[in-house]
Amino acid sequence: MQTLPNPNGMPEALEGVRVLDCSQILAGPFCSMLLADMGADVIKIEKPNGGDDTRRMGPPFIDTESAAFLAMNRNKRSMVLNFKEPAGVEAMKKLVKDADIIIENYRTGVMERLGLGYEDLKAINPGIIYCSVSGFGRTGPYAKRGGYDLIAQAMSGIMSFTGVPDTPPVKAGVPIADMNAGMFSVYGILTAYINKLKTGKGQYLEVSLLEAALAYTVWESAGYFATGEVAGPLGSSHRNSAPYQGLKTSDGYVVVGAPNQPNWERLANAFGCEDLIAREEYKDNAGRLTNRAKLESELEEKTTLKTTDEWLEILEAAGVPAGPILNMEQIWADPQIQDRGMEAVLEHPTAGTTKNIGTAVKLYDTPGRITEPAPLLGQHTREVLLDAGYSEEDIAALVESGAAVTNDI
């Protein structure tokens, strides 16, 4: 089995694990990227005539490459198989024999019609772990609907309480349903893999964008279950703690966290609002929540007298958790981010030098690695097929029939 090199010479947690990723856009590719970062050999199986739709998402493009695609498909190999051709389906089945994990996000029923559903592939490899990602789940009245992040954010309730009061609905600034579905997929896959190590049995699992988004409504759902009250938008404020929000300064905002009594008292003292501590309406978190708007107004009488940087220095000295609101330029120049190795630099064959987000999980004995840029479409078709036992003549026949596409560099 060919795998990507490990330049650090350190062991990788998922070394030797092979993933066949038949997904595209974001949730599935994010899942397989996280697995690849930890050493899994991820083979990205793309459709002919353009591959993953993300390859065409832009601008921005770097040379001819979509920046979005480059961000989500590092550390992977790309091959092109045409599942509309019997030989393409047969090639997939050959690859399954030596695979550990399959990820797919076709509409409900498509993989089964192709002969590539879980039961079909389980017959070839009983230990296979098969993960399906969909908009609404593989059962239920919405099972055959297509789904996207925006729809999941809307239907999960997230858009109903994102933003500030008395404004139109707002989605989260990042594709939280897609990303969380990818993260839940990793969680499910690794849980199934641990079970396989104990029992020898693979299994089927599925994740939906709607449920992945709904799972993040922890505070809002808890409040509804307890009281029947429907949550609305609160701006930067917290649902259950106050003050825990952004406050105006003379030149912007400072965000502060005082979710418990000691932090509240330190914050009030740092702001020069000592008198608020003894006030009956602010004596505990429940009171501060009930009177949040008034509390915010009173605190901002003080916070608007100094700059954000001045308050950050004062609050740090007082031991109060606080921070600035940074944009993309500012966060990527931040010394903490630079020190933690969160900026990865890669060399792409056509895009040249590119940057990517580093690994957010730091394993000290088996660290993740980002060594390979996102692949060109079909860049590894030939080597993957050779590894699976196809001869050069066999590969030529697959290409001639349209069942596979090669792009050797």
Side-chain angles (χ1 to χ4, degrees), residues 43-373:
I43 301 172
K44 184 175 180 68
I45 300 176
E46 302 188 66
K47 60 190 177 185
N49 302 318
D52 187 331
D53 287 346
T54 315
R55 289 186 180 274
R56 292 171 293 285
M57 285 187 176
F61 293 95
I62 305 175
D63 192 68
T64 58
E65 305 298 321
S66 162
F69 182 86
L70 295 177
M72 206 54 51
N73 291 284
R74 66 200 188 198
N75 285 340
K76 303 176 187 179
R77 297 193 282 170
S78 169
M79 70 180 303
V80 177
L81 291 179
N82 186 355
F83 292 155
K84 294 181 180 179
E85 294 290 333
V89 173
E90 188 57 35
M92 176 67 179
K93 289 181 176 179
K94 271 198 170 186
L95 296 178
V96 168
K97 293 179 182 178
D98 295 320
D100 298 286
I101 297 158
I102 294 170
I103 303 167
E104 63 89 14
N105 67 346
Y106 285 82
R107 283 209 186 200
T108 299
V110 170
M111 290 294 269
E112 287 75 14
R113 289 197 298 273
L114 292 170
L116 296 174
Y118 173 64
E119 294 299 330
D120 301 302
L121 302 187
K122 177 185 176 183
I124 299 169
N125 181 350
I128 199 72
I129 294 167
Y130 192 117
C131 176
S132 293
V133 182
S134 63
F136 297 96
R138 297 305 191 189
T139 62
Y142 303 160
K144 294 189 177 181
R145 289 187 186 181
Y148 289 101
D149 174 84
L150 176 64
I151 299 167
Q153 286 202 38
M155 294 181 65
S156 66
I158 286 178
M159 285 181 64
S160 73
F161 48 73
T162 300
V164 297
D166 303 318
T167 60
V170 179
K171 72 177 181 67
V174 296
I176 195 71
D178 268 331
M179 304 294 277
N180 203 34
M183 189 65 74
F184 271 127
S185 295
V186 172
Y187 159 66
I189 286 169
L190 294 182
T191 300
Y193 192 76
I194 292 170
N195 184 69
K196 176 184 172 181
L197 294 178
K198 295 190 294 184
T199 67
K201 296 179 180 179
Q203 63 180 292
Y204 179 75
L205 66 119
E206 53 140 330
V207 175
S208 80
L209 271 60
L210 177 60
E211 291 159 4
L214 182 61
Y216 266 12
T217 67
V218 175
W219 301 132
E220 293 74 20
S221 288
Y224 176 72
F225 292 151
T227 67
E229 294 182 5
V230 176
L234 293 173
S236 65
S237 299
H238 194 277
R239 193 73 55 191
N240 296 334
S241 298
Y244 190 96
Q245 64 191 90
L247 296 170
K248 291 179 184 177
T249 65
S250 64
D251 64 349
Y253 286 85
V254 61
V255 294
V256 296
N260 56 40
Q261 195 65 23
N263 270 332
W264 155 243
E265 294 180 8
R266 283 193 289 267
L267 180 144
N269 284 318
F271 283 159
C273 300
E274 299 91 340
D275 58 304
L276 300 185
I277 297 173
R279 293 255 291 271
E280 183 67 21
E281 61 205 307
Y282 303 142
K283 71 175 184 178
D284 56 24
N285 183 68
R288 293 190 291 273
L289 272 177
T290 301
N291 298 285
R292 181 183 1 235
K294 183 180 178 182
L295 175 60
E296 178 180 331
S297 178
E298 296 202 66
L299 291 175
E300 286 186 341
E301 289 179 9
K302 296 289 188 177
T303 60
T304 51
L305 299 177
K306 297 181 184 292
T307 67
T308 298
D309 285 343
E310 287 174 325
W311 281 124
L312 288 172
E313 186 175 346
I314 292 169
L315 292 168
E316 183 174 357
V320 178
I325 298 174
L326 302 180
N327 61 30
M328 283 289 94
E329 181 180 18
Q330 292 166 327
I331 187 58
W332 285 113
D334 191 271
Q336 178 69 17
I337 296 301
Q338 292 295 321
D339 183 80
R340 295 280 289 175
M342 285 302 294
E343 184 177 284
V345 179
L346 296 169
E347 293 297 327
H348 189 274
T350 60
T353 302
T354 62
K355 292 183 178 180
N356 213 310
I357 301 173
T359 56
V361 178
K362 317 296 189 190
L363 275 69
Y364 278 47
D365 291 334
T366 56
R369 74 337 178 218
I370 302 172
T371 58
E372 297 297 316

